[in-house]
Amino acid sequence: MKSGIRTCLLGGAMSVGLVVTGPAFAAECIAPANPGGGWDFTCRTIGKIMFDIGAVDKPIQVTNMAGGGGGLAYSHVVNERNDDGELIVAASSATATRLAQNAYAGHTADQVRFLGAIGADPGIIAVAADSPFQSLGDLLDAVKADPSSVTFAGGSAAGGFDHLKVLMALGRVGFTDITRVKYIGVDGGADAITQTIGGHTQAMTGDMSEVVGFLKAGDIRVIAVFTEERVPGFEQIPTAREQGVDIVSVNWRGLYVPKGISADDHAKWSDALAKVAASPEWAEAMVANGLAPFTLVGDGFETWLGGVIGEIETLSREIGVIK
């Protein structure tokens, strides 16, 4: 409901209502999940900052629409809200992965417009503190020499984003026999780290936010972060690119809008998102929530995302996740 106007009848016999005006919502942000997750954070935080810094003139209403790993919201936007210029929707790397793997009932990425990403949870590779692997190159060389000698643990199922990050990195160094890569999907990043610390697996693939506590405790070493530059606060961790592995793989946080909206509405939301990205309020929110800078807004983001989706689709077919 975009209007916050409510009519209260004072007294059962009164025929005249008293109109009480609450917040009038200018727009809506759909979080394709229940409250408390990453998509909910994206809608609530970005929407609030848009209003706080004057990028929009009224508060943005948040609607939680869980179902199908984001598929219910995606279908709703495509089929029922295609020309709604007052609608934005939270998205992330999970959105791209599920589109690439045809998990949204035949829907494709070109049925909406992706505005951009303005923050990310950096992808990482970690090993136990006493691991013989001192660099990403050491680890990937070991896989290339004998795939059976290295097992990775991650918090996503086989074919999920944690698994795919490893396959992408190996592809960059010329290893193509990806069906031989050993990967165990467990119930979350903490379980993956426990497997690695205990020696059951040789490396953990996940996101920076999952490993911070273990890293500070000295239980693990992060041998690579998959960002363009080193992560603020973790400058001791080299990027994969610094080590000759040309990969940027992050769990980005961003938005999409209905495809059929006007050019003016698209420009309005792109400008608003760019203003949030440049604001000190967003910088503070990233630090507070363990996100790294990752700003790519506009046509460049859609081009980049198209490449990512294409790569995920290819890898997913090779390992049998999709036919």
PDB file of all heavy atoms in Angstrom, residues 238-272:
ATOM      1  N   PRO A 238      46.286 -10.806   0.394  1.00  0.00           N
ATOM      2  CA  PRO A 238      46.447 -10.422  -1.016  1.00  0.00           C
ATOM      3  C   PRO A 238      45.231 -10.815  -1.844  1.00  0.00           C
ATOM      4  O   PRO A 238      44.517 -11.769  -1.521  1.00  0.00           O
ATOM      5  CB  PRO A 238      47.678 -11.222  -1.449  1.00  0.00           C
ATOM      6  CG  PRO A 238      47.667 -12.434  -0.571  1.00  0.00           C
ATOM      7  CD  PRO A 238      47.118 -11.957   0.760  1.00  0.00           C
ATOM      8  N   THR A 239      45.003 -10.079  -2.914  1.00  0.00           N
ATOM      9  CA  THR A 239      43.935 -10.440  -3.832  1.00  0.00           C
ATOM     10  C   THR A 239      44.398 -11.593  -4.719  1.00  0.00           C
ATOM     11  O   THR A 239      45.602 -11.864  -4.855  1.00  0.00           O
ATOM     12  CB  THR A 239      43.547  -9.259  -4.732  1.00  0.00           C
ATOM     13  OG1 THR A 239      44.636  -8.960  -5.616  1.00  0.00           O
ATOM     14  CG2 THR A 239      43.207  -8.026  -3.910  1.00  0.00           C
ATOM     15  N   ALA A 240      43.424 -12.266  -5.325  1.00  0.00           N
ATOM     16  CA  ALA A 240      43.766 -13.313  -6.293  1.00  0.00           C
ATOM     17  C   ALA A 240      44.513 -12.711  -7.473  1.00  0.00           C
ATOM     18  O   ALA A 240      45.470 -13.311  -7.986  1.00  0.00           O
ATOM     19  CB  ALA A 240      42.494 -14.019  -6.754  1.00  0.00           C
ATOM     20  N   ARG A 241      44.098 -11.534  -7.895  1.00  0.00           N
ATOM     21  CA  ARG A 241      44.742 -10.895  -9.039  1.00  0.00           C
ATOM     22  C   ARG A 241      46.221 -10.623  -8.780  1.00  0.00           C
ATOM     23  O   ARG A 241      47.058 -10.774  -9.675  1.00  0.00           O
ATOM     24  CB  ARG A 241      44.022  -9.586  -9.384  1.00  0.00           C
ATOM     25  CG  ARG A 241      42.757  -9.788 -10.197  1.00  0.00           C
ATOM     26  CD  ARG A 241      42.130  -8.469 -10.570  1.00  0.00           C
ATOM     27  NE  ARG A 241      41.090  -8.656 -11.570  1.00  0.00           N
ATOM     28  CZ  ARG A 241      40.324  -7.670 -12.044  1.00  0.00           C
ATOM     29  NH1 ARG A 241      40.475  -6.426 -11.581  1.00  0.00           N
ATOM     30  NH2 ARG A 241      39.402  -7.912 -12.960  1.00  0.00           N
ATOM     31  N   GLU A 242      46.543 -10.209  -7.565  1.00  0.00           N
ATOM     32  CA  GLU A 242      47.947  -9.984  -7.225  1.00  0.00           C
ATOM     33  C   GLU A 242      48.772 -11.247  -7.382  1.00  0.00           C
ATOM     34  O   GLU A 242      49.982 -11.191  -7.608  1.00  0.00           O
ATOM     35  CB  GLU A 242      48.065  -9.516  -5.773  1.00  0.00           C
ATOM     36  CG  GLU A 242      47.591  -8.112  -5.493  1.00  0.00           C
ATOM     37  CD  GLU A 242      47.709  -7.794  -4.018  1.00  0.00           C
ATOM     38  OE1 GLU A 242      48.834  -7.850  -3.486  1.00  0.00           O
ATOM     39  OE2 GLU A 242      46.677  -7.521  -3.380  1.00  0.00           O
ATOM     40  N   GLN A 243      48.097 -12.389  -7.254  1.00  0.00           N
ATOM     41  CA  GLN A 243      48.792 -13.676  -7.317  1.00  0.00           C
ATOM     42  C   GLN A 243      48.684 -14.323  -8.699  1.00  0.00           C
ATOM     43  O   GLN A 243      48.951 -15.510  -8.872  1.00  0.00           O
ATOM     44  CB  GLN A 243      48.235 -14.609  -6.244  1.00  0.00           C
ATOM     45  CG  GLN A 243      48.379 -14.050  -4.831  1.00  0.00           C
ATOM     46  CD  GLN A 243      47.747 -14.957  -3.789  1.00  0.00           C
ATOM     47  OE1 GLN A 243      48.270 -16.030  -3.492  1.00  0.00           O
ATOM     48  NE2 GLN A 243      46.622 -14.519  -3.232  1.00  0.00           N
ATOM     49  N   GLY A 244      48.272 -13.511  -9.676  1.00  0.00           N
ATOM     50  CA  GLY A 244      48.234 -13.987 -11.049  1.00  0.00           C
ATOM     51  C   GLY A 244      46.984 -14.739 -11.447  1.00  0.00           C
ATOM     52  O   GLY A 244      46.950 -15.363 -12.510  1.00  0.00           O
ATOM     53  N   VAL A 245      45.950 -14.684 -10.603  1.00  0.00           N
ATOM     54  CA  VAL A 245      44.686 -15.358 -10.913  1.00  0.00           C
ATOM     55  C   VAL A 245      43.630 -14.271 -11.131  1.00  0.00           C
ATOM     56  O   VAL A 245      43.152 -13.652 -10.185  1.00  0.00           O
ATOM     57  CB  VAL A 245      44.254 -16.319  -9.789  1.00  0.00           C
ATOM     58  CG1 VAL A 245      42.986 -17.067 -10.184  1.00  0.00           C
ATOM     59  CG2 VAL A 245      45.376 -17.304  -9.460  1.00  0.00           C
ATOM     60  N   ASP A 246      43.278 -14.039 -12.370  1.00  0.00           N
ATOM     61  CA  ASP A 246      42.451 -12.879 -12.724  1.00  0.00           C
ATOM     62  C   ASP A 246      40.973 -13.171 -12.481  1.00  0.00           C
ATOM     63  O   ASP A 246      40.210 -13.478 -13.395  1.00  0.00           O
ATOM     64  CB  ASP A 246      42.676 -12.504 -14.188  1.00  0.00           C
ATOM     65  CG  ASP A 246      41.979 -11.200 -14.560  1.00  0.00           C
ATOM     66  OD1 ASP A 246      41.551 -10.471 -13.637  1.00  0.00           O
ATOM     67  OD2 ASP A 246      41.859 -10.908 -15.759  1.00  0.00           O
ATOM     68  N   ILE A 247      40.576 -13.077 -11.225  1.00  0.00           N
ATOM     69  CA  ILE A 247      39.184 -13.331 -10.872  1.00  0.00           C
ATOM     70  C   ILE A 247      38.727 -12.314  -9.834  1.00  0.00           C
ATOM     71  O   ILE A 247      39.457 -11.999  -8.886  1.00  0.00           O
ATOM     72  CB  ILE A 247      38.978 -14.772 -10.338  1.00  0.00           C
ATOM     73  CG1 ILE A 247      37.501 -14.997  -9.947  1.00  0.00           C
ATOM     74  CG2 ILE A 247      39.914 -15.072  -9.188  1.00  0.00           C
ATOM     75  CD1 ILE A 247      37.183 -16.430  -9.560  1.00  0.00           C
ATOM     76  N   VAL A 248      37.540 -11.767 -10.057  1.00  0.00           N
ATOM     77  CA  VAL A 248      36.833 -10.963  -9.065  1.00  0.00           C
ATOM     78  C   VAL A 248      35.508 -11.665  -8.823  1.00  0.00           C
ATOM     79  O   VAL A 248      34.699 -11.811  -9.744  1.00  0.00           O
ATOM     80  CB  VAL A 248      36.602  -9.514  -9.541  1.00  0.00           C
ATOM     81  CG1 VAL A 248      35.709  -8.774  -8.552  1.00  0.00           C
ATOM     82  CG2 VAL A 248      37.922  -8.788  -9.713  1.00  0.00           C
ATOM     83  N   SER A 249      35.319 -12.149  -7.616  1.00  0.00           N
ATOM     84  CA  SER A 249      34.107 -12.916  -7.297  1.00  0.00           C
ATOM     85  C   SER A 249      33.625 -12.492  -5.921  1.00  0.00           C
ATOM     86  O   SER A 249      34.254 -12.809  -4.908  1.00  0.00           O
ATOM     87  CB  SER A 249      34.405 -14.421  -7.323  1.00  0.00           C
ATOM     88  OG  SER A 249      33.242 -15.157  -7.032  1.00  0.00           O
ATOM     89  N   VAL A 250      32.540 -11.761  -5.907  1.00  0.00           N
ATOM     90  CA  VAL A 250      32.021 -11.217  -4.657  1.00  0.00           C
ATOM     91  C   VAL A 250      30.519 -11.447  -4.595  1.00  0.00           C
ATOM     92  O   VAL A 250      29.849 -11.591  -5.620  1.00  0.00           O
ATOM     93  CB  VAL A 250      32.303  -9.700  -4.539  1.00  0.00           C
ATOM     94  CG1 VAL A 250      33.793  -9.431  -4.475  1.00  0.00           C
ATOM     95  CG2 VAL A 250      31.670  -8.930  -5.700  1.00  0.00           C
ATOM     96  N   ASN A 251      30.007 -11.496  -3.378  1.00  0.00           N
ATOM     97  CA  ASN A 251      28.561 -11.571  -3.190  1.00  0.00           C
ATOM     98  C   ASN A 251      28.044 -10.140  -3.135  1.00  0.00           C
ATOM     99  O   ASN A 251      27.922  -9.539  -2.078  1.00  0.00           O
ATOM    100  CB  ASN A 251      28.232 -12.325  -1.901  1.00  0.00           C
ATOM    101  CG  ASN A 251      26.744 -12.597  -1.755  1.00  0.00           C
ATOM    102  OD1 ASN A 251      25.969 -12.374  -2.679  1.00  0.00           O
ATOM    103  ND2 ASN A 251      26.337 -13.060  -0.598  1.00  0.00           N
ATOM    104  N   TRP A 252      27.790  -9.586  -4.317  1.00  0.00           N
ATOM    105  CA  TRP A 252      27.428  -8.178  -4.413  1.00  0.00           C
ATOM    106  C   TRP A 252      26.008  -7.929  -3.906  1.00  0.00           C
ATOM    107  O   TRP A 252      25.169  -8.816  -3.889  1.00  0.00           O
ATOM    108  CB  TRP A 252      27.570  -7.665  -5.843  1.00  0.00           C
ATOM    109  CG  TRP A 252      26.890  -8.478  -6.904  1.00  0.00           C
ATOM    110  CD1 TRP A 252      27.432  -9.465  -7.666  1.00  0.00           C
ATOM    111  CD2 TRP A 252      25.515  -8.375  -7.329  1.00  0.00           C
ATOM    112  NE1 TRP A 252      26.494  -9.992  -8.525  1.00  0.00           N
ATOM    113  CE2 TRP A 252      25.316  -9.345  -8.353  1.00  0.00           C
ATOM    114  CE3 TRP A 252      24.433  -7.568  -6.948  1.00  0.00           C
ATOM    115  CZ2 TRP A 252      24.086  -9.514  -8.995  1.00  0.00           C
ATOM    116  CZ3 TRP A 252      23.206  -7.738  -7.582  1.00  0.00           C
ATOM    117  CH2 TRP A 252      23.045  -8.700  -8.597  1.00  0.00           C
ATOM    118  N   ARG A 253      25.791  -6.682  -3.485  1.00  0.00           N
ATOM    119  CA  ARG A 253      24.474  -6.234  -3.026  1.00  0.00           C
ATOM    120  C   ARG A 253      23.999  -5.127  -3.959  1.00  0.00           C
ATOM    121  O   ARG A 253      24.690  -4.129  -4.148  1.00  0.00           O
ATOM    122  CB  ARG A 253      24.559  -5.684  -1.601  1.00  0.00           C
ATOM    123  CG  ARG A 253      25.183  -6.629  -0.593  1.00  0.00           C
ATOM    124  CD  ARG A 253      24.313  -7.838  -0.327  1.00  0.00           C
ATOM    125  NE  ARG A 253      24.872  -8.697   0.713  1.00  0.00           N
ATOM    126  CZ  ARG A 253      24.366  -9.876   1.041  1.00  0.00           C
ATOM    127  NH1 ARG A 253      23.284 -10.320   0.429  1.00  0.00           N
ATOM    128  NH2 ARG A 253      24.924 -10.614   1.980  1.00  0.00           N
ATOM    129  N   GLY A 254      22.823  -5.312  -4.547  1.00  0.00           N
ATOM    130  CA  GLY A 254      22.350  -4.303  -5.482  1.00  0.00           C
ATOM    131  C   GLY A 254      20.851  -4.365  -5.698  1.00  0.00           C
ATOM    132  O   GLY A 254      20.107  -4.931  -4.885  1.00  0.00           O
ATOM    133  N   LEU A 255      20.420  -3.801  -6.824  1.00  0.00           N
ATOM    134  CA  LEU A 255      18.994  -3.652  -7.107  1.00  0.00           C
ATOM    135  C   LEU A 255      18.698  -3.934  -8.574  1.00  0.00           C
ATOM    136  O   LEU A 255      19.544  -3.727  -9.451  1.00  0.00           O
ATOM    137  CB  LEU A 255      18.533  -2.219  -6.805  1.00  0.00           C
ATOM    138  CG  LEU A 255      18.656  -1.691  -5.374  1.00  0.00           C
ATOM    139  CD1 LEU A 255      18.380  -0.189  -5.358  1.00  0.00           C
ATOM    140  CD2 LEU A 255      17.712  -2.418  -4.433  1.00  0.00           C
ATOM    141  N   TYR A 256      17.472  -4.372  -8.833  1.00  0.00           N
ATOM    142  CA  TYR A 256      16.960  -4.356 -10.196  1.00  0.00           C
ATOM    143  C   TYR A 256      15.608  -3.671 -10.214  1.00  0.00           C
ATOM    144  O   TYR A 256      14.977  -3.461  -9.164  1.00  0.00           O
ATOM    145  CB  TYR A 256      16.907  -5.746 -10.821  1.00  0.00           C
ATOM    146  CG  TYR A 256      15.924  -6.752 -10.258  1.00  0.00           C
ATOM    147  CD1 TYR A 256      14.575  -6.768 -10.634  1.00  0.00           C
ATOM    148  CD2 TYR A 256      16.361  -7.755  -9.381  1.00  0.00           C
ATOM    149  CE1 TYR A 256      13.693  -7.723 -10.145  1.00  0.00           C
ATOM    150  CE2 TYR A 256      15.478  -8.720  -8.895  1.00  0.00           C
ATOM    151  CZ  TYR A 256      14.148  -8.696  -9.279  1.00  0.00           C
ATOM    152  OH  TYR A 256      13.279  -9.653  -8.803  1.00  0.00           O
ATOM    153  N   VAL A 257      15.159  -3.295 -11.413  1.00  0.00           N
ATOM    154  CA  VAL A 257      13.874  -2.615 -11.606  1.00  0.00           C
ATOM    155  C   VAL A 257      13.138  -3.314 -12.747  1.00  0.00           C
ATOM    156  O   VAL A 257      13.736  -4.052 -13.538  1.00  0.00           O
ATOM    157  CB  VAL A 257      14.062  -1.116 -11.947  1.00  0.00           C
ATOM    158  CG1 VAL A 257      14.626  -0.359 -10.751  1.00  0.00           C
ATOM    159  CG2 VAL A 257      14.949  -0.933 -13.174  1.00  0.00           C
ATOM    160  N   PRO A 258      11.822  -3.114 -12.850  1.00  0.00           N
ATOM    161  CA  PRO A 258      11.083  -3.705 -13.961  1.00  0.00           C
ATOM    162  C   PRO A 258      11.621  -3.227 -15.309  1.00  0.00           C
ATOM    163  O   PRO A 258      12.030  -2.073 -15.456  1.00  0.00           O
ATOM    164  CB  PRO A 258       9.647  -3.215 -13.734  1.00  0.00           C
ATOM    165  CG  PRO A 258       9.579  -2.912 -12.265  1.00  0.00           C
ATOM    166  CD  PRO A 258      10.926  -2.394 -11.906  1.00  0.00           C
ATOM    167  N   LYS A 259      11.597  -4.103 -16.292  1.00  0.00           N
ATOM    168  CA  LYS A 259      12.166  -3.769 -17.600  1.00  0.00           C
ATOM    169  C   LYS A 259      11.362  -2.702 -18.329  1.00  0.00           C
ATOM    170  O   LYS A 259      11.921  -1.891 -19.075  1.00  0.00           O
ATOM    171  CB  LYS A 259      12.248  -5.029 -18.466  1.00  0.00           C
ATOM    172  CG  LYS A 259      12.924  -4.787 -19.806  1.00  0.00           C
ATOM    173  CD  LYS A 259      13.130  -6.076 -20.579  1.00  0.00           C
ATOM    174  CE  LYS A 259      13.888  -5.818 -21.870  1.00  0.00           C
ATOM    175  NZ  LYS A 259      14.158  -7.093 -22.602  1.00  0.00           N
ATOM    176  N   GLY A 260      10.038  -2.673 -18.110  1.00  0.00           N
ATOM    177  CA  GLY A 260       9.195  -1.794 -18.906  1.00  0.00           C
ATOM    178  C   GLY A 260       9.046  -0.374 -18.395  1.00  0.00           C
ATOM    179  O   GLY A 260       8.231   0.385 -18.930  1.00  0.00           O
ATOM    180  N   ILE A 261       9.817   0.024 -17.378  1.00  0.00           N
ATOM    181  CA  ILE A 261       9.677   1.387 -16.866  1.00  0.00           C
ATOM    182  C   ILE A 261      10.277   2.388 -17.855  1.00  0.00           C
ATOM    183  O   ILE A 261      11.053   2.030 -18.739  1.00  0.00           O
ATOM    184  CB  ILE A 261      10.326   1.546 -15.473  1.00  0.00           C
ATOM    185  CG1 ILE A 261      11.847   1.381 -15.549  1.00  0.00           C
ATOM    186  CG2 ILE A 261       9.720   0.552 -14.504  1.00  0.00           C
ATOM    187  CD1 ILE A 261      12.555   1.669 -14.224  1.00  0.00           C
ATOM    188  N   SER A 262       9.926   3.649 -17.686  1.00  0.00           N
ATOM    189  CA  SER A 262      10.392   4.681 -18.602  1.00  0.00           C
ATOM    190  C   SER A 262      11.878   4.952 -18.414  1.00  0.00           C
ATOM    191  O   SER A 262      12.475   4.625 -17.379  1.00  0.00           O
ATOM    192  CB  SER A 262       9.615   5.974 -18.357  1.00  0.00           C
ATOM    193  OG  SER A 262       9.969   6.544 -17.098  1.00  0.00           O
ATOM    194  N   ALA A 263      12.467   5.573 -19.437  1.00  0.00           N
ATOM    195  CA  ALA A 263      13.882   5.946 -19.352  1.00  0.00           C
ATOM    196  C   ALA A 263      14.117   6.915 -18.204  1.00  0.00           C
ATOM    197  O   ALA A 263      15.151   6.856 -17.523  1.00  0.00           O
ATOM    198  CB  ALA A 263      14.339   6.553 -20.679  1.00  0.00           C
ATOM    199  N   ASP A 264      13.147   7.815 -17.981  1.00  0.00           N
ATOM    200  CA  ASP A 264      13.285   8.782 -16.881  1.00  0.00           C
ATOM    201  C   ASP A 264      13.288   8.083 -15.529  1.00  0.00           C
ATOM    202  O   ASP A 264      14.075   8.431 -14.641  1.00  0.00           O
ATOM    203  CB  ASP A 264      12.153   9.814 -16.936  1.00  0.00           C
ATOM    204  CG  ASP A 264      12.329  10.818 -18.068  1.00  0.00           C
ATOM    205  OD1 ASP A 264      13.449  10.886 -18.627  1.00  0.00           O
ATOM    206  OD2 ASP A 264      11.356  11.511 -18.387  1.00  0.00           O
ATOM    207  N   ASP A 265      12.395   7.100 -15.356  1.00  0.00           N
ATOM    208  CA  ASP A 265      12.357   6.370 -14.090  1.00  0.00           C
ATOM    209  C   ASP A 265      13.635   5.558 -13.887  1.00  0.00           C
ATOM    210  O   ASP A 265      14.168   5.467 -12.773  1.00  0.00           O
ATOM    211  CB  ASP A 265      11.134   5.447 -14.029  1.00  0.00           C
ATOM    212  CG  ASP A 265       9.851   6.210 -13.710  1.00  0.00           C
ATOM    213  OD1 ASP A 265       9.942   7.262 -13.043  1.00  0.00           O
ATOM    214  OD2 ASP A 265       8.776   5.755 -14.125  1.00  0.00           O
ATOM    215  N   HIS A 266      14.127   4.957 -14.949  1.00  0.00           N
ATOM    216  CA  HIS A 266      15.370   4.197 -14.842  1.00  0.00           C
ATOM    217  C   HIS A 266      16.520   5.109 -14.433  1.00  0.00           C
ATOM    218  O   HIS A 266      17.326   4.764 -13.555  1.00  0.00           O
ATOM    219  CB  HIS A 266      15.684   3.502 -16.161  1.00  0.00           C
ATOM    220  CG  HIS A 266      16.900   2.630 -16.109  1.00  0.00           C
ATOM    221  ND1 HIS A 266      18.156   3.094 -16.431  1.00  0.00           N
ATOM    222  CD2 HIS A 266      17.059   1.332 -15.747  1.00  0.00           C
ATOM    223  CE1 HIS A 266      19.034   2.123 -16.269  1.00  0.00           C
ATOM    224  NE2 HIS A 266      18.397   1.041 -15.861  1.00  0.00           N
ATOM    225  N   ALA A 267      16.593   6.274 -15.052  1.00  0.00           N
ATOM    226  CA  ALA A 267      17.651   7.229 -14.713  1.00  0.00           C
ATOM    227  C   ALA A 267      17.514   7.719 -13.281  1.00  0.00           C
ATOM    228  O   ALA A 267      18.511   7.898 -12.571  1.00  0.00           O
ATOM    229  CB  ALA A 267      17.619   8.401 -15.684  1.00  0.00           C
ATOM    230  N   LYS A 268      16.276   7.913 -12.845  1.00  0.00           N
ATOM    231  CA  LYS A 268      16.020   8.359 -11.468  1.00  0.00           C
ATOM    232  C   LYS A 268      16.590   7.365 -10.466  1.00  0.00           C
ATOM    233  O   LYS A 268      17.281   7.748  -9.518  1.00  0.00           O
ATOM    234  CB  LYS A 268      14.511   8.518 -11.262  1.00  0.00           C
ATOM    235  CG  LYS A 268      14.079   8.765  -9.818  1.00  0.00           C
ATOM    236  CD  LYS A 268      12.556   8.709  -9.678  1.00  0.00           C
ATOM    237  CE  LYS A 268      12.010   7.294  -9.842  1.00  0.00           C
ATOM    238  NZ  LYS A 268      10.549   7.227  -9.643  1.00  0.00           N
ATOM    239  N   TRP A 269      16.314   6.082 -10.667  1.00  0.00           N
ATOM    240  CA  TRP A 269      16.779   5.069  -9.718  1.00  0.00           C
ATOM    241  C   TRP A 269      18.284   4.839  -9.821  1.00  0.00           C
ATOM    242  O   TRP A 269      18.956   4.614  -8.805  1.00  0.00           O
ATOM    243  CB  TRP A 269      16.016   3.768  -9.922  1.00  0.00           C
ATOM    244  CG  TRP A 269      14.606   3.829  -9.443  1.00  0.00           C
ATOM    245  CD1 TRP A 269      13.468   3.673 -10.181  1.00  0.00           C
ATOM    246  CD2 TRP A 269      14.167   4.076  -8.097  1.00  0.00           C
ATOM    247  NE1 TRP A 269      12.359   3.808  -9.405  1.00  0.00           N
ATOM    248  CE2 TRP A 269      12.749   4.047  -8.111  1.00  0.00           C
ATOM    249  CE3 TRP A 269      14.822   4.321  -6.897  1.00  0.00           C
ATOM    250  CZ2 TRP A 269      11.990   4.256  -6.963  1.00  0.00           C
ATOM    251  CZ3 TRP A 269      14.080   4.522  -5.750  1.00  0.00           C
ATOM    252  CH2 TRP A 269      12.680   4.487  -5.786  1.00  0.00           C
ATOM    253  N   SER A 270      18.827   4.914 -11.029  1.00  0.00           N
ATOM    254  CA  SER A 270      20.280   4.777 -11.179  1.00  0.00           C
ATOM    255  C   SER A 270      20.998   5.904 -10.448  1.00  0.00           C
ATOM    256  O   SER A 270      21.997   5.679  -9.750  1.00  0.00           O
ATOM    257  CB  SER A 270      20.669   4.790 -12.662  1.00  0.00           C
ATOM    258  OG  SER A 270      20.211   3.633 -13.321  1.00  0.00           O
ATOM    259  N   ASP A 271      20.477   7.129 -10.606  1.00  0.00           N
ATOM    260  CA  ASP A 271      21.090   8.278  -9.932  1.00  0.00           C
ATOM    261  C   ASP A 271      20.980   8.142  -8.417  1.00  0.00           C
ATOM    262  O   ASP A 271      21.928   8.451  -7.681  1.00  0.00           O
ATOM    263  CB  ASP A 271      20.416   9.577 -10.387  1.00  0.00           C
ATOM    264  CG  ASP A 271      20.729   9.934 -11.833  1.00  0.00           C
ATOM    265  OD1 ASP A 271      21.654   9.323 -12.399  1.00  0.00           O
ATOM    266  OD2 ASP A 271      20.033  10.800 -12.389  1.00  0.00           O
ATOM    267  N   ALA A 272      19.822   7.687  -7.944  1.00  0.00           N
ATOM    268  CA  ALA A 272      19.622   7.531  -6.500  1.00  0.00           C
ATOM    269  C   ALA A 272      20.582   6.498  -5.929  1.00  0.00           C
ATOM    270  O   ALA A 272      21.170   6.682  -4.852  1.00  0.00           O
ATOM    271  CB  ALA A 272      18.177   7.151  -6.207  1.00  0.00           C
TER     272      ALA A 272
END
